[in-house]
Amino acid sequence: SDPRIGPHFKVVPSEISTMAGDILLGMLSHVFIGNPASSFSQYIAMARYALGLGPSFLYVRRHPLNGKWETFCDDESCFYQLHDLEARTHQAAAPKTIP
């Protein structure tokens, strides 16, 4: 209902919405604004990064000095560090020793 940005949003009616279609729309949109608690949004942001698309506003925060919104996780190392995927991968690959 925002008069400035509202007209730029497109809503897909729930009657024709599918999970695959929603993922594709999120991946190919001009801008993706996701929920950082959603694995669905995380997948879309990672796919957009892999395809060289952007921006993905999944992890945003207000700058403490100027109050403007900024993204703080939009590259591969951040995705892995933020979700600790690298550590889990190394743990799973490490050989187990029997005492």
Side-chain angles (χ1 to χ4, degrees):
S1 66
D2 184 284
R4 189 172 59 175
I5 64 172
H8 300 285
F9 284 91
K10 305 287 187 236
V11 178
V12 177
S14 60
E15 304 84 47
I16 62 170
S17 177
T18 64
M19 185 181 298
D22 291 350
I23 289 173
L24 189 59
L25 285 173
M27 287 171 49
L28 299 177
S29 62
H30 291 289
V31 174
F32 174 68
I33 302 170
N35 177 350
S38 166
S39 59
F40 191 83
S41 292
Q42 178 68 26
Y43 175 76
I44 292 170
M46 291 176 81
R48 287 175 59 82
Y49 174 77
L51 293 170
L53 304 172
S56 292
F57 295 98
L58 185 58
Y59 301 102
V60 294
R61 62 181 170 209
R62 282 195 185 266
H63 191 279
L65 300 177
N66 64 22
K68 292 184 179 180
W69 288 99
E70 63 183 7
T71 184
F72 65 93
C73 181
D74 57 2
D75 64 6
E76 186 174 354
S77 70
C78 181
F79 285 134
Y80 283 101
Q81 290 174 3
L82 189 64
H83 294 280
D84 201 23
L85 295 175
E86 192 172 343
R88 286 187 228 161
T89 302
H90 290 305
Q91 287 173 351
K96 306 261 192 254
T97 56
I98 300 172

